[in-house]
Amino acid sequence: MSLSTNTEDLKELLCFNIYSLNRSFGRYYSSAFSETGLTYPKFVILMALEADGPMSISTLSAKAGVEANTLSPLLKKMAEFGAITRQRSDDDERRVEVGITPMGKDILARAREVIAKGFEDLGIDPKQMIDAMHFLEETRGRVDRASPPKLSFDGIT
Amino acid sequence: MSLSTNTEDLKELLCFNIYSLNRSFGRYYSSAFSETGLTYPKFVILMALEADGPMSISTLSAKAGVEANTLSPLLKKMAEFGAITRQRSDDDERRVEVGITPMGKDILARAREVIAKGFEDLGIDPKQMIDAMHFLEETRGRVDRASPPKLSFDGIT
DNA sequence: TTAAATTAAATCGTATACGATACAATCGTA
DNA sequence: TACGATTGTATCGTATACGATTTAATTTAA
């Protein structure tokens, strides 16, 4: 699908471009990290944990923009592996505090190298990227705040 | 872009912005389409089929940028529902031709209304969007063509 | 012209994702 | 302070995704 000047098409294309590029990045990183078993979502988790120290699952959920029920099993596996720590809070028995381990930090450091190196190879124009990222952030805010219109028709399963 | 050490880092990563906005759009559309059971990937399939007529699964795979093994079960369900047709090619028994049905067209038309309506509400600046989309397309091409550097370390599962 | 490579789909295993639900812990309030 | 509301996690069901493998059909080559 190419960019036409038809407004109707453009509306549909923004989400398609996002959808599509997201999967391209996913394949790219899964290839880059292949030997390691690290995935992009796990990378995001390690980034957040290293940056903002131990935190509860719900806090991490908010930072990474991923639902807590998605993180829950993921964190369990990462803890079993040894990349993160995971323990019930004493203050509030409902909460589970997760933090990065030295092993996790090591993995993260290496992943960062991969990304930095790969990024240079991509040859992306920095200025364009900054503009685009502002647009993406702005758009994400709008989408998150919006209440989408609903139209119903016989369901497709 | 230098990868420094803080959380703000996540926001500075292009891939994070894409990852994040993609899920926001996903939630948005799943809400918009909720009564219908239509999902964004299915919408993309219907778009492609309506635009470029009946085609094989692998052709559709290339157009939508989704692997054929992802489409295969999805198409089967959509055909059972009646939104698309699905039949072995006579020329080449390996191929399966899929096409959109009148019901599928109807669903697509209604989905387009939802999207158009919702899009106006979002209040996105058209010029910024066009620039961003060019950047996204360009970037996707670069990412798809790139051979990511690989660094290995003990696996995380 | 038959065997070897290639191709198209389907299937399998695994990893995200999310809404709905369950459940325990904590909080607010009558 | 008892009890209903809320909160934090975990679990369940479903829907994508993708790589690896399988199977069947077709093409290429020897």
Side-chain angles (χ1 to χ4, degrees):
Chain A
M1 301 190 204
S2 58
L3 295 174
S4 81
T5 38
N6 182 302
T7 310
E8 293 301 305
D9 287 343
L10 288 177
K11 289 168 189 166
E12 291 161 359
L13 279 169
L14 174 59
C15 39
F16 181 73
N17 275 283
I18 296 295
Y19 167 71
S20 192
L21 180 52
N22 182 56
R23 274 170 309 97
S24 289
F25 267 130
R27 284 188 292 261
Y28 179 87
Y29 287 118
S30 106
S31 169
F33 295 159
S34 65
E35 318 256 331
T36 74
L38 187 65
T39 59
Y40 190 70
K42 286 182 185 125
F43 168 73
V44 168
I45 290 170
L46 291 182
M47 287 266 291
L49 289 182
E50 190 197 46
D52 297 339
M55 65 182 101
S56 72
I57 293 182
S58 51
T59 303
L60 178 58
S61 164
K63 279 194 195 295
V66 178
E67 297 299 320
N69 57 356
T70 298
L71 293 179
S72 194
L74 236 170
L75 295 171
K76 197 177 281 182
K77 281 188 294 180
M78 290 173 78
E80 276 163 18
F81 182 75
I84 66 171
T85 57
R86 194 168 151 285
Q87 58 182 2
R88 286 276 160 193
S89 163
D90 289 329
D91 300 356
D92 185 337
E93 292 268 327
R94 290 171 304 180
R95 313 173 89 241
V96 171
E97 303 285 336
V98 287
I100 191 168
T101 62
M103 185 215 271
K105 285 187 187 179
D106 183 52
I107 290 172
L108 181 56
R110 291 163 190 261
R112 280 198 160 107
E113 283 178 46
V114 177
I115 290 184
K117 237 181 209 150
F119 191 82
E120 278 175 35
D121 293 347
L122 289 180
I124 291 172
D125 177 64
K127 189 192 169 318
Q128 274 187 20
M129 184 178 76
I130 290 168
D131 289 345
M133 292 214 298
H134 282 127
F135 174 79
L136 295 176
E137 276 199 324
E138 165 77 15
T139 301
R140 176 155 60 96
R142 288 170 184 267
V143 173
D144 285 342
R145 284 189 305 273
S147 355
K150 306 192 183 188
L151 232 56
S152 70
F153 41 85
D154 313 60
I156 171 175
T157 311
Chain B
M1 178 182 69
S2 68
L3 297 169
S4 50
T5 20
N6 291 329
T7 275
E8 294 306 303
D9 280 2
L10 274 176
K11 291 178 189 152
E12 284 166 20
L13 289 175
L14 175 61
C15 41
F16 181 72
N17 277 282
I18 296 294
Y19 167 72
S20 193
L21 180 53
N22 182 56
R23 276 172 305 98
S24 289
F25 268 131
R27 284 188 291 261
Y28 179 86
Y29 287 118
S30 104
S31 169
F33 296 158
S34 64
E35 317 256 330
T36 76
L38 187 66
T39 60
Y40 191 69
K42 287 182 183 125
F43 169 72
V44 168
I45 290 171
L46 291 182
M47 286 268 290
L49 290 182
E50 190 197 45
D52 298 337
M55 64 183 100
S56 72
I57 292 183
S58 51
T59 304
L60 178 59
S61 163
K63 279 193 195 294
V66 178
E67 296 300 320
N69 57 358
T70 297
L71 293 179
S72 197
L74 237 169
L75 295 172
K76 198 177 283 183
K77 281 188 293 180
M78 290 173 78
E80 278 165 17
F81 181 75
I84 67 170
T85 58
R86 194 166 153 288
Q87 58 181 2
R88 286 274 160 194
S89 162
D90 289 329
D91 300 356
D92 187 337
E93 294 267 326
R94 289 171 305 182
R95 314 173 87 242
V96 170
E97 303 285 336
V98 287
I100 192 169
T101 62
M103 185 216 270
K105 285 186 187 178
D106 184 52
I107 290 172
L108 181 55
R110 290 162 190 262
R112 281 197 160 108
E113 284 178 45
V114 176
I115 290 183
K117 235 178 211 152
F119 191 82
E120 279 174 34
D121 294 347
L122 289 180
I124 291 173
D125 177 63
K127 190 192 169 317
Q128 276 188 18
M129 184 179 75
I130 290 169
D131 289 345
M133 292 213 299
H134 281 123
F135 174 78
L136 295 176
E137 277 201 326
E138 164 77 17
T139 301
R140 175 154 61 95
R142 288 171 185 267
V143 172
D144 285 341
R145 285 189 303 274
S147 355
K150 306 191 184 190
L151 231 58
S152 70
F153 41 86
D154 313 62
I156 170 177
T157 309

